Amino acid sequence: MESLKLGFVYGISMSFISWIVGMIINSMLVKTEFYKKISNLNFIKSRTLNKRIGIKYFKWIVKNSFFKFFNQKIKLENKNTDLVVIRNEMTLSEISHLIGFVFVFSVAIYKSITVGILFALAMMIPNTLLNLYPSLLQQENKRRIDDFLKRKTRNTN
């Protein structure tokens, strides 16, 4: 039981640290060809699966908690907001969170060897909630923006 608690707390700490790691690595990747390839990731295409894993509830938590203050650039202020700029900010956030997820996952693998598997699995709970889910939410939001922009283009032609 102690290993679970410690792993969970360690996972929360590592997840917050991973946000910084993700931003630093992402800022180095952003000008590369590799970045262009990964900027259109789409892990879960099914809206039904997104619903089943609770992205809708996660979105509500983000919108109605202190998390809403974290990335102010991803905010629709009014109808004149440039959706392409918002989408680019979402991509930056998504990839930073993915890098953070991989970073904590790597630490969890190391900790599974040095401390124990239960500790590592407990680490992955906050990592999933603080890195993977935000990334999946950004992917869903980007798909919605893409759909809207396609409809808008189709209607203007």
Side-chain angles (χ1 to χ4, degrees):
M1 189 63 174
E2 190 68 20
S3 189
L4 273 174
K5 265 195 292 189
L6 289 173
F8 188 78
V9 171
Y10 191 76
I12 290 172
S13 302
M14 287 302 299
S15 293
F16 280 110
I17 290 167
S18 77
W19 291 351
I20 296 165
V21 171
M23 286 188 279
I24 291 168
I25 294 173
N26 195 19
S27 68
M28 290 186 281
L29 285 177
V30 80
K31 301 246 188 297
T32 66
E33 284 298 315
F34 177 70
Y35 192 82
K36 290 176 187 167
K37 291 178 185 174
I38 62 173
S39 64
N40 288 309
L41 294 173
N42 204 356
F43 294 135
I44 302 175
K45 294 178 183 176
S46 165
R47 290 179 194 255
T48 306
L49 185 55
N50 265 339
K51 196 173 188 176
R52 284 190 182 143
I53 65 170
I55 292 293
K56 178 176 138 183
Y57 301 110
F58 183 77
K59 183 179 187 177
W60 184 90
I61 291 168
V62 170
K63 285 172 65 173
N64 295 293
S65 71
F66 66 93
F67 288 112
K68 70 181 171 189
F69 300 112
F70 278 17
N71 195 343
Q72 292 295 303
K73 292 179 182 176
I74 302 176
K75 204 173 198 180
L76 294 175
E77 296 292 331
N78 55 47
K79 290 182 179 182
N80 296 327
T81 304
D82 187 352
L83 292 179
V84 174
V85 172
I86 297 284
R87 190 188 187 289
N88 289 338
E89 288 298 327
M90 287 178 174
T91 301
L92 287 170
S93 176
E94 169 198 359
I95 293 175
S96 292
H97 278 293
L98 283 175
I99 292 167
F101 181 80
V102 170
F103 173 75
V104 176
F105 182 74
S106 302
V107 173
I109 289 172
Y110 173 75
K111 289 295 186 181
S112 73
I113 296 165
T114 59
V115 178
I117 191 77
L118 212 51
F119 186 91
L121 289 173
M123 277 182 65
M124 289 305 294
I125 295 168
N127 187 30
T128 300
L129 294 172
L130 295 171
N131 279 317
L132 183 61
Y133 267 57
S135 187
L136 293 174
L137 178 61
Q138 296 305 347
Q139 286 181 11
E140 180 181 291
N141 288 336
K142 284 183 354 183
R143 279 192 304 273
R144 290 173 51 217
I145 286 174
D146 290 344
D147 290 346
F148 178 80
L149 291 173
K150 282 178 191 170
R151 281 194 309 272
K152 188 176 174 184
T153 303
R154 219 177 304 131
N155 290 340
T156 57
N157 290 337

